[in-house]
Amino acid sequence: MSSSSAPGADGGSKSVDEPKLKEVLPIQGELFFTHLGDETEVFCKPKIMPLKSVTLQRLEEIQRTAQETLRVQQEEEEKTRQKQAKAQEAASLALQQASAEYQRQHNQQQHEQQEQESGDKGTEN
């Protein structure tokens, strides 16, 4: 603190030691005053405070890790579902082909039996 900042310390008038006020008259708006003086002294070095506490940073890291783990699990589940869908589609296609082959063979056997029966009837006459 400077020696001139204590009002009346030397027993003199107070107006010498008090900060001077400068009157500013704006063209528009309200009136205001500014202090002219040595009131901007810094007594200690300012400390830089973290924006986030260590606990909050740890919680955010845990949350990011959990979200990443969940995302990986969801991707794996989606891949598994896609593989199962492809396997079901392939099984369905194989079943359709087998059914169509069975139907074709069955129709061919019936056709051959009908030809034999009609051939047998033609030879009997």
Side-chain angles (χ1 to χ4, degrees):
M1 191 171 203
S2 66
S3 63
S4 65
S5 64
D10 59 351
S13 68
K14 293 183 181 180
S15 63
V16 174
D17 292 337
E18 290 180 5
K20 297 177 184 176
L21 297 177
K22 180 181 176 185
E23 185 176 338
V24 178
L25 297 172
I27 297 172
Q28 296 177 354
E30 300 178 6
L31 293 178
F32 62 93
F33 297 93
T34 60
H35 290 279
L36 298 177
D38 196 17
E39 295 182 13
T40 58
E41 294 180 21
V42 177
F43 296 105
C44 63
K45 190 174 182 179
K47 295 182 180 180
I48 298 175
M49 300 294 290
L51 296 176
K52 295 181 181 179
S53 68
V54 175
T55 306
L56 181 59
Q57 290 175 348
R58 287 181 186 163
L59 288 173
E60 288 177 346
E61 181 63 29
I62 291 170
Q63 185 178 11
R64 277 194 296 271
T65 304
Q67 286 176 344
E68 180 66 22
T69 303
L70 180 62
R71 184 186 62 80
V72 168
Q73 286 176 350
Q74 288 174 345
E75 288 175 356
E76 289 174 358
E77 288 175 0
E78 182 63 27
K79 287 178 183 178
T80 303
R81 276 190 234 118
Q82 288 176 354
K83 286 180 182 179
Q84 288 175 348
K86 286 181 181 180
Q88 287 177 349
E89 186 178 321
S92 176
L93 182 61
L95 182 62
Q96 288 176 354
Q97 289 174 347
S99 177
E101 180 64 24
Y102 173 78
Q103 188 67 32
R104 187 186 61 78
Q105 288 177 355
H106 182 70
N107 288 343
Q108 185 178 6
Q109 287 175 353
Q110 283 183 343
H111 182 68
E112 289 174 359
Q113 285 178 354
Q114 287 176 356
E115 285 181 357
Q116 281 181 349
E117 288 176 4
S118 65
D120 289 343
K121 286 183 183 179
T123 55
E124 289 179 5
N125 288 337

